[in-house]
């Protein structure tokens, strides 16, 4: 998101993250600006039974934990590595000074936060309509628009059904059943357990 040379010039440092390692936990104070260099992370809250609510998947080049940089509140969720990863981090006071002097960086962060909020509102609206297909459709359209979690021209989805459930608030069984129905109706393709969807999908009418 921010040019790595700019971050390094301001004192940022790399950090290696092992698979399933938490970079920070829900409730901890924010001390750094973080950006993923390589690997894959997930933003999650975990309930008392160990079930995860996944807010987003973080991919290489993206920043994360940005809200806590600005409101001086603890992190609202944890970030955990899905695979071996490398992050670059910059001390919070230095980062805040950096964006004060670089309006383009500040604007980019505002745009990212706005997109995330728009997506969350669309998911909430879909859940309120009790349409699991609309909820999944909104998620897939958002991921395609942001070039996230898809590979190739046919858009191979790089998310498990469990992760989709965690990102939408649906039960895994509901996700499996709904995506099978979407396959039967030609809205996506499931081939040997893999999900492909090439075009922007439209929400169903209640």
């Amino acid at each position: 998101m921010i040019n790595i040379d700019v971050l390094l010039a301001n004192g940022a440092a790399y950090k290696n993250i092992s698979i399933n390692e938490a970079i920070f936990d829900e409730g901890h104070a924010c001390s750094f600006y973080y950006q993923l260099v390589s690997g894959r992370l997930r933003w999650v809250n975990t309930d008392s039974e160990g079930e995860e609510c996944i807010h987003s998947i973080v991919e290489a080049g993206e920043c994360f934990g940005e809200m806590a940089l600005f409101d001086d509140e603890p992190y609202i969720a944890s970030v955990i590595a899905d695979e071996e990863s490398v992050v670059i981090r910059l001390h919070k006071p230095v980062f805040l000074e950096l964006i004060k002097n670089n309006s383009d960086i500040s604007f980019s962060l505002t745009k990212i936060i706005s997109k995330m909020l728009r997506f969350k509102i669309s998911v909430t609206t879909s859940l309120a309509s009790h349409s699991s297909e609309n909820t999944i459709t909104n998620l897939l359209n958002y991921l395609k628009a942001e070039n996230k979690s898809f590979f190739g021209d046919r858009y191979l989805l790089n998310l498990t059904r469990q992760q989709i459930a965690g990102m939408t608030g649906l039960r895994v069984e509901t996700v499996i059943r709904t995506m099978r129905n979407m396959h039967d109706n030609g809205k996506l393709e499931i081939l040997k357990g893999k999900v492909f969807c090439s075009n922007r999908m439209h929400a169903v009418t209640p």
Side-chain angles (χ1 to χ4, degrees):
M1 221 276 326
I2 300 176
N3 186 287
I4 289 180
D5 290 337
V6 172
L7 293 174
L8 292 172
N10 283 273
Y14 292 104
K15 182 176 176 62
N16 294 319
I17 309 296
S18 301
I19 187 170
N20 293 324
E21 179 182 349
I23 298 173
F24 52 75
D25 291 311
E26 176 185 356
H28 285 191
C30 174
S31 300
F32 296 95
Y33 164 82
Y34 288 97
Q35 188 166 301
L36 183 60
V37 178
S38 63
R40 198 162 184 253
L41 316 170
R42 65 186 187 275
W43 258 107
V44 298
N45 288 109
T46 306
D47 64 20
S48 58
E49 297 180 352
E51 292 294 322
E52 290 186 351
C53 172
I54 302 176
H55 300 291
S56 67
I57 300 294
V58 183
E59 298 184 351
E62 296 182 328
C63 61
F64 56 95
E66 58 276 359
M67 287 188 295
L69 288 165
F70 299 108
D71 64 8
D72 292 323
E73 295 291 330
Y75 287 115
I76 198 169
S78 303
V79 170
I80 302 171
D82 276 348
E83 56 190 53
E84 299 288 330
S85 303
V86 177
V87 302
I88 188 169
R89 64 184 191 177
L90 180 66
H91 282 284
K92 178 179 175 179
V94 180
F95 169 76
L96 294 177
E97 190 64 29
L98 177 65
I99 63 170
K100 285 180 183 178
N101 298 320
N102 292 270
S103 58
D104 55 333
I105 296 176
S106 179
F107 177 77
S108 294
L109 278 170
T110 302
K111 188 175 181 179
I112 288 171
I113 294 172
S114 297
K115 285 184 176 181
M116 291 174 61
L117 179 59
R118 182 182 294 275
F119 167 64
K120 288 298 181 183
I121 290 174
S122 72
V123 169
T124 302
T125 302
S126 297
L127 288 172
S129 71
H130 305 291
S131 171
S132 57
E133 182 173 324
N134 280 354
T135 301
I136 293 172
T137 296
N138 282 339
L139 171 63
L140 298 182
N141 283 337
Y142 168 78
L143 294 175
K144 284 188 288 185
E146 296 301 311
N147 295 314
K148 290 168 60 71
S149 299
F150 279 100
F151 294 119
D153 295 336
R154 293 181 62 205
Y155 289 106
L156 169 61
L157 181 62
N158 187 29
L159 290 175
T160 66
R161 310 303 194 271
Q162 181 70 57
Q163 288 173 322
I164 294 172
M167 295 177 74
T168 57
L170 299 170
R171 294 174 59 84
V172 177
E173 297 81 3
T174 301
V175 171
I176 293 172
R177 183 179 64 254
T178 302
M179 295 186 77
R180 173 54 61 181
N181 289 338
M182 294 171 73
H183 166 80
D184 292 341
N185 293 327
K187 296 185 177 181
L188 51 78
E189 180 183 2
I190 300 176
L191 183 62
K192 295 183 179 179
K194 296 181 179 180
V195 177
F196 299 85
C197 46
S198 58
N199 299 312
R200 181 175 177 84
M201 295 177 291
H202 298 285
V204 297
T205 301

